[in-house]
C-alpha cells in the first residue's frame, strides 16, 4: 500500500536558518504530493502541493519539488521565522484511491528560536 | 478559500455518555467528508470516509458501532462517539472535498476529553 516517511523531529533552528524536512513516499500509481502545516491546537492547512513529476510547489517561502526518480518531496525554506514553528506533514493522494484519501507521514515538529 | 468548521472545538464528557461532533463545509458542497483521529504528537489516522447520502466506509480497526458517522447533506457530517471511554480522548479532525480530484479542506479539530 501507499506510505509516506518523513524525518522525525523535533527540528530546532535559529531564526533565518535554512530548513529542510525530508519526505519520501511509496505509491502504486502516480500520486499527488502535499505538505500540510498544523499550528498548535489547530487543524491542518495546506501549505503547498505538486501533482506530477518535476513540479515545484511553493508558498510563503516554502518550496518542494516532486522527484519521481528518488520518490521524494523534501520541504525547504531559505530563512525560517519564529512564526514557522509548527508541525509539518507530508502526504500523498493516489488518484486511484477511493475518494482520493490522503496518506500522511508521521509529522515533523519545527521549533524556531529567536 | 473553502472553509470547514467543526463544533464544538473542545468537549469534556463523562465516561459512558455519547458525544456528537459536527463538521460543516461553509461555502462549498462536500460530496465526501473524512474523519481523522490524532493522538498527541502523532500523525492523523483516517477513521472513515463518508459520502453524502450513503453509509460511511470505515478503516480497518475502527468500530462502526462506536463511531457513528452521518453525512445527511452536502454541507454537514456528524461523528458521534457512543459510550465514550477515557481511551477515546483524542483530537478529532474532519476534512471535506468536492467531487473528482478536488482538494481536501480541513476543519480546525475537536478535542475530546473523556473523564
Amino acid at each position: 500500500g501507499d506510505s509516506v516517511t518523513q524525518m522525525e523531529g523535533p527540528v530546532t533552528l535559529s531564526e533565518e536558518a535554512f530548513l529542510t524536512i525530508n519526505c519520501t513516499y511509496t505509491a502504486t500509481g502516480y500520486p499527488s504530493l502535499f505538505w500540510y502545516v498544523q499550528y498548535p491546537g489547530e487543524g491542518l492547512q495546506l501549505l503547498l502541493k505538486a501533482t506530477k513529476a518535476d513540479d515545484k510547489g511553493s508558498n510563503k517561502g516554502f518550496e518542494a519539488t516532486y522527484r519521481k526518480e528518488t520518490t521524494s518531496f523534501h520541504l525547504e525554506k531559505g530563512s525560517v521565522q519564529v512564526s514557522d514553528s509548527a508541525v509539518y506533514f507530508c502526504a500523498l493522494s493516489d488518484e486511484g484511491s477511493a475518494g482520493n484519501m490522503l496518506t500522511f507521514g508521521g509529522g515533523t515538529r519545527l521549533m524556531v528560536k529567536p | 478559500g473553502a472553509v470547514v468548521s467543526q463544533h464544538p472545538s473542545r468537549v469534556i464528557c463523562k465516561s459512558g455518555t455519547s458525544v456528537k461532533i459536527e463538521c460543516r463545509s461553509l461555502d462549498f458542497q462536500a460530496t465526501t467528508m473524512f474523519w481523522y483521529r490524532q493522538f498527541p504528537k502523532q500523525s492523523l489516522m483516517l477513521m472513515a470516509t463518508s459520502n453524502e447520502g450513503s453509509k460511511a466506509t470505515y478503516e480497518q480497526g475502527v468500530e462502526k458501532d462506536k463511531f457513528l458517522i452521518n453525512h445527511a447533506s452536502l454541507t454537514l457530517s456528524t461523528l458521534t462517539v457512543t459510550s465514550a471511554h477515557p481511551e477515546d480522548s483524542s483530537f478529532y479532525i474532519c476534512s471535506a472535498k468536492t467531487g473528482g480530484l478536488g482538494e481536501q479542506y480541513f476543519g480546525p479539530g475537536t478535542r475530546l476529553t473523556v473523564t
Side-chain angles (χ1 to χ4, degrees), chain A residues 11-93:
Chain A
V11 173
T12 303
L13 296 173
S14 297
E15 208 166 20
E16 299 184 3
F18 185 86
L19 169 70
T20 299
I21 300 178
N22 290 338
C23 171
T24 56
Y25 67 91
T26 58
T28 53
Y30 299 93
S32 294
L33 302 173
F34 306 83
W35 276 101
Y36 286 88
V37 58
Q38 184 179 33
Y39 297 101
E42 298 184 13
L44 272 68
Q45 300 175 28
L46 178 65
L47 182 59
L48 53 85
K49 67 178 181 181
T51 58
K52 61 182 188 296
D54 299 326
D55 269 3
K56 177 186 284 188
S58 62
N59 185 29
K60 299 180 181 178
F62 291 89
E63 292 184 341
T65 301
Y66 190 141
R67 301 285 188 200
K68 191 169 182 289
E69 63 276 15
T70 54
T71 61
S72 64
F73 193 54
H74 304 322
L75 182 68
E76 296 182 337
K77 186 175 185 181
S79 176
V80 294
Q81 305 300 314
V82 172
S83 57
D84 294 326
S85 299
V87 180
Y88 293 81
F89 292 94
C90 185
L92 70 81
S93 175

Side-chain angles (χ1 to χ4, degrees), chain A residues 34 36 38 41-46 49 87 89 95 98-102 104-107 109, chain B residues 32 34 36 38 41-44 46 49 59 91 93 97 100-104 106-109:
Chain A
F34 306 83
Y36 286 88
Q38 184 179 33
E42 298 184 13
L44 272 68
Q45 300 175 28
L46 178 65
K49 67 178 181 181
V87 180
F89 292 94
E95 62 181 20
N100 304 119
M101 58 178 278
L102 288 166
F104 286 92
R109 183 176 301 275
Chain B
T32 305
F34 303 85
Y36 297 85
Q38 185 181 30
K41 299 185 179 181
Q42 295 189 27
S43 188
L44 281 73
L46 180 64
T49 302
E59 295 300 301
F91 195 49
I93 301 174
K97 68 182 290 289
L101 299 178
E103 181 181 320
Q104 280 191 42
F106 285 81

Side-chain angles (χ1 to χ4, degrees), chain B residues 49-66:
Chain B
T49 302
S50 73
N51 292 295
E52 185 263 340
S54 61
K55 289 184 178 180
T57 302
Y58 290 82
E59 295 300 301
Q60 195 171 12
V62 178
E63 298 177 61
K64 63 180 181 181
D65 294 331
K66 179 169 186 59

